Amino acid sequence: MLNSWTLLISNLKNTKVFNQIRCASQVLPQLSSEKYNVRRKQFGNIQASDVDYFKTILSEDRVLTDENDILPFNIDWIKNCRGQSKLVLKPKSTEEVSHILRYCNEKRLAVCPQGGNTGLVGGSVPVFDEIVLSFMLMNKIISLDELSGALVCESGCVLENLDNYVRKRNLIMPLDLGAKGSCHIGGNVSTNAGGLRLLRYGNLHGSVLGVEAVKADGTVIDCLKTLKKDNTGYHLKHLFIGSEGTLGVVTKVAIHCPAMPKAVSLGFFGVKNFENVLRLYASAKSSLGEILSAFEMADNDSISSTVENLKLPNPISDYPFYVLVETSGSDETHDAEKLSRFLDKEMESGLIVDGTVTSEPGKMQTIWNLRESIAGAGLIDGYVFKYDVSVPLANYYSLVPLLRQKLGSKAVRVYGYGHVGDGNIHINVTVPKYDQEVCSMLEPYIFEEVAKLNGSISAEHGVGFRKPHYIHYSKDVTAIHLMKQLKQLMDPNGILNPYKVVPEV
Ligand code: FAD
Ligand code: MLT
Ligand code: ZN
């Protein structure tokens, strides 16, 4: 028998954990330009006349110039990057975005598009004095076709709000991530965010039906179709999915929302070693088939960081590895039978050593919360070096012990967790404070190891500011050349999110 749920676990809301983490350190991060030794490009400098012009397009309260008001827009979520922007603009419509960009392009003023600012690669904050273009006020839902599941909304809609909205209509958003309470759908599209449901619903190149975007020169590109099939010419929407605000800014999104599953169950299991995690994954795929909707793993140090740093309870005992298996289907009895056969088999085989299974929404939320909180728990240790790689499953975990050995006592913790079903592991290294020596031990070492395995140095978080100069570890030189040509075509003055994604010569 699996352990019954005996612990009284407070149902922490994501936002609470977010605030706890945000307040953990009040020390300002070093300026990105100094920390990473970057030279400012030849952009225009913002003049008082520019601010006055923006005030004629937007109401005054949507043009921020006060240092304290701007500070949060200059610092990224993991408090690694800090920009020096002096101006934040908050448009409310595509037309306003278009006016802003046309003006910036003419004056060669650089712009940093920003959604919920939950990005983990420094792409969402300026490096120097780029103008922050915040989408936080573009948050209207435009339409929902309940039969086809096509949702159309503005890019600043918060993912969780969209999910709550469509759930009332028996649909769900095709993506889910720990940052759902803050991240915007425009940010999700611009980063091609993966997350916890990718195994089931695929990535956003499949779910996004259309986008409206504005080019650097202010031209509005209308690809906001809601059709599943549309082979009229080039599929231009894909240029904006995952290009991290470097080719255009996303102002509206049309996305396919799948039907809300009628029966959902979640299991949290203790596993003896990593080989058994992979065996369990193979078994889950074959036994659970179409109802398997998530297969996540976390090693012991990942879970202990949430237990120790965020005081979240672990519902089972201490194990070397933990696996989270979610099933989502349409027939409760049929799904429960399948899950139960899988559990019986794998408890008997010993792949599952211990665990808990629940279908109660509150308890499922508590387990998900434990998994989703790993992202921020390490910040309490001081500083987190975050890596987001995909490698063949056989080598999925191999970098973690290598790094532990390499860093020894220099690291507080080295841990791995992630989306096994997608071959995507997150490796976090925590240290008391940012340390250049540790950084040099990690980079480019990790990227070299990933390249040897034919993996990707950025599985789902993007390239942002932190990885353009490492992109060649995962992209061929001809592909990088084409990226540069596209950038030149779409944004000849390079004003959109400079210093990000596209490597310099
Ligand atoms: P931001 O962080 O504001 O911006 C991200 C990038 O997109 C920047 O380059 C920015 O310039 C650009 N951008 C933002 N909005 C627009 C726009 N409208 N037009 C053009 N460019 C734009 N990521 C995953 O893939 N999977 C996960 O499971 C996951 N979990 C996370 C959990 C936590 C706790 C946190 C903090 C982050 C997580 N992330 C994850 C990373 C992050 O949440 C995603 O990348 C998310 O999609 C970013 O959305 P955002 O609105 O916060 O964008
Ligand atoms: C996750 O899967 O938790 C996110 O991608 C965030 C992270 O890498 O920490
Ligand atoms: Zn992830």
Side-chain angles (χ1 to χ4, degrees), residues 29 36 62 77 123 126 173 176 210-213 222 271 286 293 323 333 335 357 389 395 432 484 494:
Y36 297 104
R62 294 189 284 125
W77 194 83
M173 291 302 285
D176 183 22
V211 295
E212 176 193 81
D222 183 358
V271 179
S286 95
S293 51
V323 160
T333 319
D335 298 353
V357 176
V389 304
N395 301 99
K484 288 181 179 176

Side-chain angles (χ1 to χ4, degrees), residues 214-401:
V214 183
K215 276 175 59 200
D217 65 3
T219 313
V220 179
I221 307 290
D222 183 358
C223 297
L224 197 64
K225 289 277 194 295
T226 54
L227 307 166
K228 274 216 152 178
K229 286 183 153 183
D230 176 19
N231 277 349
T232 49
Y234 303 145
H235 284 226
L236 297 174
K237 66 181 177 191
H238 295 295
L239 283 177
F240 303 102
I241 303 174
S243 53
E244 302 178 61
T246 59
L247 298 182
V249 301
V250 176
T251 42
K252 294 192 184 97
V253 173
I255 189 162
H256 175 253
C257 301
M260 183 163 71
K262 292 200 176 74
V264 181
S265 295
L266 188 60
F268 185 65
F269 308 123
V271 179
K272 211 165 59 185
N273 52 45
F274 185 69
E275 291 66 44
N276 285 1
V277 172
L278 289 187
R279 285 195 194 109
L280 197 58
Y281 176 51
S283 166
K285 278 209 297 181
S286 95
S287 307
L288 301 171
E290 79 291 350
I291 64 166
L292 179 64
S293 51
F295 191 102
E296 300 276 314
M297 83 98 205
D299 64 10
N300 184 282
D301 280 347
S302 302
I303 296 297
S304 31
S305 80
T306 64
V307 171
E308 287 161 21
N309 291 349
L310 300 178
K311 310 295 172 222
L312 295 184
N314 173 359
I316 60 175
S317 311
D318 227 26
Y319 292 98
F321 290 90
Y322 298 92
V323 160
L324 210 142
V325 176
E326 187 194 68
T327 61
S328 309
S330 58
D331 183 331
E332 203 178 327
T333 319
H334 162 267
D335 298 353
E337 271 170 24
K338 271 184 142 176
L339 183 57
S340 158
R341 272 199 303 273
F342 164 71
L343 293 174
D344 286 348
K345 180 167 158 244
E346 298 314 351
M347 283 189 303
E348 178 80 32
S349 72
L351 290 187
I352 295 175
V353 186
D354 185 12
T356 178
V357 176
T358 180
S359 299
E360 278 184 45
K363 288 176 179 172
M364 290 196 288
Q365 177 54 46
T366 308
I367 299 178
W368 271 122
N369 194 45
L370 186 66
R371 160 64 186 90
E372 291 171 13
S373 301
I374 303 170
L379 297 178
I380 311 286
D381 285 344
Y383 181 85
V384 189
F385 291 97
K386 272 187 177 282
Y387 301 95
D388 158 47
V389 304
S390 45
V391 285
L393 280 177
N395 301 99
Y396 184 87
Y397 195 70
S398 57
L399 258 170
V400 179

Side-chain angles (χ1 to χ4, degrees), residues 18 77 112-120 123-124 135 155 177-179 183-184 186-188 190-191 193-196 244-245 248-250 372 375 419 460-461 497:
F18 258 61
W77 194 83
C112 173
Q114 192 178 93
N117 196 12
T118 65
L120 297 172
S124 53
F135 290 91
S155 60
L177 44 148
C183 64
H184 295 179
N188 300 148
S190 304
T191 54
L196 309 158
E244 302 178 61
V249 301
V250 176
E372 291 171 13
H419 320 288
E460 61 170 10
H461 295 161
N497 231 1

Side-chain angles (χ1 to χ4, degrees), residues 395-465:
N395 301 99
Y396 184 87
Y397 195 70
S398 57
L399 258 170
V400 179
L402 276 182
L403 289 174
R404 281 194 186 127
Q405 202 177 16
K406 192 172 163 71
L407 294 168
S409 60
K410 288 198 162 64
V412 178
R413 294 175 225 258
V414 178
Y415 47 96
Y417 57 98
H419 320 288
V420 177
D422 315 324
N424 173 196
I425 185 166
H426 301 304
I427 302 174
N428 287 8
V429 175
T430 69
V431 286
K433 61 182 182 38
Y434 178 78
D435 184 329
Q436 184 54 49
E437 189 197 343
V438 175
C439 187
S440 316
M441 289 170 84
L442 291 166
E443 301 172 19
Y445 173 77
I446 291 188
F447 306 127
E448 286 165 0
E449 292 301 311
V450 169
K452 280 186 212 159
L453 296 169
N454 246 327
S456 167
I457 65 152
S458 178
E460 61 170 10
H461 295 161
V463 174
F465 168 66

